[in-house]
Amino acid sequence: MANDITTEDQEMGGAKKLSKSAIRRAYWDWMFYNLSVQNFERMQGPAIIKMLADVREDLYPGNPEAQQEMLERHEVFFNTEPYLGSIVPGIVLGMEASKAEGNDEISSEFINSIKTALMGPFAGIGDSLLPGTLIPILLSIALGMSPNGEVTGPIFYIVVFLAIMLPLTWFLFSYGVKAGANAAELVLSGGIKDKVTRAAEVVGLIVVGAICAQYAKFNIGLVYTSGDLTINIADILDSIFPELPVLIISFVTYWLMVKKNWSAGKMMLLMLVISIVGYFTTILAV
């Protein structure tokens, strides 16, 4: 299919290596597998790899080394709302196609930075509009149609949901393929690729920092008592620098994962051990 390319196919954002059928195949891969093989380390990352694996011959025909390199750069965490967020894998596919065309200015870091920067906003919008709004409305209508357990309600929900989602997700995905390559060309022609990459990295760090500050807890249980005098080390540290232990453990986690190549599973095991030891010694508690 890689050589079976029509004029309509060539208009897909410069992704000349991708035929319309290849784009459609990638779309169905995303729709069927976006919530499959999930794990805490990569979430929807395997779905991106599955999508690209099925078009790897279209992008790099007869070049297994380039195909492997493309798939390996997406072995990272990715998570977004799968329906409205379908534009993000579309953009990824468009940028990969542009890179396969020989645009060496589109680096692996650039593609992953754009993917990371977009997944959060589309997750927020999608979760608000679909699970938070559309789905409850459709379910309430369906429940009203099945007061005695009739099959009408489930059929109504399935038909209407698919009638809305399939055209919407195909439009977003295919538009993402076109916009991905065009957006890359726009960024590169303006000479702001490095700024966009850096900005995406900053957004990611801000999100991770906010999550650490909001949800992470690391309590020091050391208390010095002498007569009526009681000194709580945790209170003293908190008065000097709020959540300082959390900041320290965050940097330690970053150092172990980035510099020492620890996996997320290994880090979780370490935190579990620290928590158990801290619980029984009352010195630390994560």
Side-chain angles (χ1 to χ4, degrees), residues 31 34 56 104 122 127 163 178 220 276 285:
M31 292 302 294
N34 58 64
R56 64 187 186 277
D104 295 331
F122 279 101
D127 288 342
K178 180 170 65 175
I220 297 177
I276 293 174

Side-chain angles (χ1 to χ4, degrees), residues 40-66:
F40 287 111
E41 190 170 356
R42 293 184 175 89
M43 293 302 285
Q44 295 172 344
I48 296 289
I49 295 175
K50 166 64 176 172
M51 176 189 77
L52 294 174
D54 277 357
V55 296
R56 64 187 186 277
E57 280 294 333
D58 299 79
L59 295 174
Y60 298 100
N63 191 342
E65 292 79 11

Side-chain angles (χ1 to χ4, degrees), residues 84 124-136:
L84 290 186
I125 295 172
D127 288 342
S128 298
L129 294 180
L130 297 183
T133 304
L134 177 63
I135 291 178

Side-chain angles (χ1 to χ4, degrees), residues 2-274:
N3 297 322
D4 181 20
I5 303 173
T6 65
T7 303
E8 180 184 8
D9 298 331
Q10 293 180 353
E11 293 175 355
M12 296 300 292
K16 299 177 183 178
K17 282 183 174 289
L18 287 176
S19 65
K20 192 68 173 292
S21 61
I23 295 171
R24 189 179 297 110
R25 189 165 68 250
Y27 162 77
W28 285 117
D29 278 336
W30 170 253
M31 292 302 294
F32 279 116
Y33 294 100
N34 58 64
L35 296 178
S36 300
V37 201
Q38 280 194 323
N39 57 72
F40 287 111
E41 190 170 356
R42 293 184 175 89
M43 293 302 285
Q44 295 172 344
I48 296 289
I49 295 175
K50 166 64 176 172
M51 176 189 77
L52 294 174
D54 277 357
V55 296
R56 64 187 186 277
E57 280 294 333
D58 299 79
L59 295 174
Y60 298 100
N63 191 342
E65 292 79 11
Q67 295 173 11
Q68 180 178 347
E69 180 183 350
M70 175 185 67
L71 298 180
E72 284 180 346
R73 64 172 156 263
H74 292 282
E75 290 182 338
V76 294
F77 180 91
F78 177 75
N79 190 39
T80 191
E81 197 283 318
Y83 299 112
L84 290 186
S86 61
I87 190 174
V88 183
I91 290 174
V92 170
L93 181 59
M95 297 185 72
E96 287 289 357
S98 183
K99 181 177 177 64
E101 283 292 319
N103 192 341
D104 295 331
E105 293 296 322
I106 302 180
S107 65
S108 301
E109 293 77 14
F110 181 56
I111 294 175
N112 275 323
S113 294
I114 295 299
K115 180 175 69 173
T116 302
L118 293 178
M119 69 179 184
F122 279 101
I125 295 172
D127 288 342
S128 298
L129 294 180
L130 297 183
T133 304
L134 177 63
I135 291 178
I137 292 175
L138 294 180
L139 286 175
S140 63
I141 297 174
L143 289 171
M145 298 172 66
S146 305
N148 300 310
E150 294 86 348
V151 74
T152 310
I155 293 176
F156 165 83
Y157 176 80
I158 293 171
V159 171
V160 174
F161 183 80
L162 292 178
I164 296 173
M165 286 299 109
L166 290 180
L168 176 62
T169 52
W170 167 247
F171 168 77
L172 291 172
F173 186 89
S174 57
Y175 180 80
V177 175
K178 180 170 65 175
N182 289 340
E185 292 175 4
L186 176 63
V187 170
L188 293 171
S189 64
I192 58 173
K193 175 178 71 69
D194 294 337
K195 293 181 180 179
V196 172
T197 303
R198 179 59 180 166
E201 292 174 350
V202 170
V203 170
L205 290 173
I206 291 174
V207 172
V208 171
I211 291 174
C212 290
Q214 182 71 27
Y215 295 105
K217 298 295 180 184
F218 193 90
N219 301 318
I220 297 177
L222 290 175
V223 178
Y224 174 77
T225 303
S226 178
D228 295 333
L229 176 64
T230 300
I231 301 176
N232 190 312
I233 304 300
D235 291 342
I236 294 175
L237 290 177
D238 197 54
S239 64
I240 298 173
F241 195 127
E243 301 296 341
L244 178 61
V246 173
L247 180 63
I248 293 174
I249 200 65
S250 299
F251 278 120
V252 170
T253 302
Y254 172 83
W255 179 74
L256 289 173
M257 296 187 71
V258 175
K259 302 299 182 182
K260 298 299 182 179
N261 296 319
W262 279 37
S263 66
K266 197 172 182 180
M267 282 305 310
M268 292 174 66
L269 181 61
L270 174 63
M271 293 300 172
L272 178 62
V273 171
I274 294 175

